[in-house]
């Protein structure tokens, strides 16, 4: 008998779409490394001063991988990230892996740009900043806008349409004791920007401003539509 792995769990994990699987795996490994004391949060949070002065460029990516220590809030974040990222990748972006990766790149680049502007102009931000939850909010928002008629239930207490999901999540986090974070709303705003540029603007203008780079399409052997 295989005492290390569970066949059903293996099958579930192996069947996850590649981009979602890669990102969630990196997040889980980062959390495990934190709990095993291989790293601490001060090594991976976003700090532009350390990026410039010490060349710690890894912070530009690692800050998206840490969602806090193991606990209810972490499980909550992982559940919504995994569910909605994989759903997007398997439905709206089926056969378009390069386009889905570009969605991630757009979100990461946009969040970093806003965070840099806030840092450059000395606008107060959380002293230890992680943008993973903001990226997750962006993905949830895009999913919710592309599934506007889906009815959802919150803990069997009340039902609502999918577009309200990001705000329900924020309210639930508040009930869990999480403070309001402007970067959660920033994730929603960037999600709306992507939705506008990708889904709304082309319908009225006939042009697409967001175009996945050809090298990404070559990497995933994605053909142009």
């Amino acid at each position: 008998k295989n005492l290390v792995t569970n066949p059903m769990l293996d099958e579930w994990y192996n069947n996850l779409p590649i981009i979602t699987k890669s990102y969630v795996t990196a997040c889980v490994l980062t959390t495990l490394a934190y709990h095993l004391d291989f790293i601490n949060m001060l090594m991976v949070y976003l700090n532009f001063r350390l990026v410039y002065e010490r060349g710690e460029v890894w912070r530009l990516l690692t800050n998206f991988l840490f969602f806090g220590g193991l606990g209810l809030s972490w499980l909550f974040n992982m559940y919504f990230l995994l569910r909605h990222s994989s759903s997007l990748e398997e439905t709206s972006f089926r056969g378009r892996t390069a386009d889905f990766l570009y969605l991630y790149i757009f979100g990461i680049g946009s969040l970093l740009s806003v965070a840099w502007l806030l840092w450059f102009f000395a606008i107060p931000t959380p002293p230890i900043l992680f943008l993973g939850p903001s990226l997750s909010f962006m993905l949830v928002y895009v999913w919710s806008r592309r599934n506007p008629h889906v009815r959802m239930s919150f803990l069997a207490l009340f039902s609502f349409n999918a577009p309200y999901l990001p705000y329900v999540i924020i309210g639930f986090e508040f009930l869990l004791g999480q403070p309001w974070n402007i970067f959660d709303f920033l994730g929603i705003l960037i999600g709306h920007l992507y939705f506008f540029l990708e889904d709304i603007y082309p319908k009225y203008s006939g042009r697409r401003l967001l175009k996945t780079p050809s090298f990404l399409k070559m990497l995933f052997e994605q053909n142009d539509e």
Side-chain angles (χ1 to χ4, degrees):
K1 294 181 179 180
N2 191 335
L3 299 178
V4 178
T5 59
N6 183 303
M8 292 183 63
L9 185 60
D10 285 349
E11 182 179 3
W12 169 81
Y13 178 77
N14 291 331
N15 287 333
L16 288 174
I18 182 63
I19 303 302
T20 299
K21 177 166 63 175
S22 299
Y23 180 52
V24 172
T25 299
C27 293
V28 171
L29 290 177
T30 300
T31 303
L32 291 177
Y34 167 74
H35 279 278
L36 294 174
D37 291 329
F38 293 140
I39 63 171
N40 63 65
M41 68 174 63
L42 298 180
M43 298 168 58
V44 295
Y45 79 102
L46 182 60
N47 186 312
F48 286 107
R49 183 180 63 80
L50 295 178
V51 171
Y52 281 111
E53 295 180 1
R54 299 185 184 179
E56 298 180 1
V57 293
W58 65 81
R59 294 179 181 274
L60 299 177
L61 291 180
T62 56
N63 82 91
F64 288 96
L65 303 179
F66 189 72
F67 285 74
L70 290 173
L72 184 59
S73 179
W74 183 86
L75 290 172
F76 180 72
N77 275 296
M78 287 298 102
Y79 168 75
F80 277 97
L81 171 62
L82 182 59
R83 177 180 179 181
H84 298 97
S85 180
S86 61
S87 178
L88 273 175
E89 192 169 356
E90 291 175 331
T91 55
S92 295
F93 292 89
R94 178 176 290 276
R96 300 168 51 214
T97 303
D99 291 340
F100 189 63
L101 177 59
Y102 193 56
L103 166 59
Y104 265 83
I105 294 172
F106 175 85
I108 290 172
S110 299
L111 287 166
L112 286 176
S113 296
V114 174
W116 181 84
L117 287 172
L118 294 176
W119 171 77
F120 184 79
F121 290 104
I123 299 174
T125 61
I128 298 181
L129 182 60
F130 295 98
L131 295 176
S134 305
L135 182 63
S136 180
F137 268 106
M138 183 203 75
L139 294 167
V140 169
Y141 182 88
V142 173
W143 178 89
S144 70
R145 292 304 300 266
R146 288 192 169 180
N147 297 272
H149 304 298
V150 172
R151 291 291 291 174
M152 310 192 73
S153 176
F154 178 73
L155 300 179
L157 296 177
F158 62 91
S159 298
F160 56 93
N161 287 340
Y164 293 101
L165 177 61
Y167 312 103
V168 172
I169 294 175
I170 289 177
F172 183 59
E173 287 188 339
F174 181 75
L175 293 177
L176 290 178
Q178 299 292 322
W180 294 110
N181 187 345
I182 189 62
F183 281 92
D184 291 345
F185 292 97
L186 179 60
I188 293 174
L189 181 62
I190 290 174
H192 182 73
L193 177 62
Y194 178 88
F195 177 74
F196 174 80
L197 293 175
E198 183 69 11
D199 292 39
I200 299 177
Y201 180 76
K203 291 181 180 179
Y204 292 96
S205 68
R207 296 181 299 168
R208 290 187 63 197
L209 298 181
L210 292 180
K211 295 183 179 180
T212 303
S214 57
F215 76 90
L216 287 180
K217 293 188 176 184
M218 292 175 58
L219 178 64
F220 293 99
E221 299 181 351
Q222 176 182 316
N223 296 321
D224 291 327
E225 297 179 355

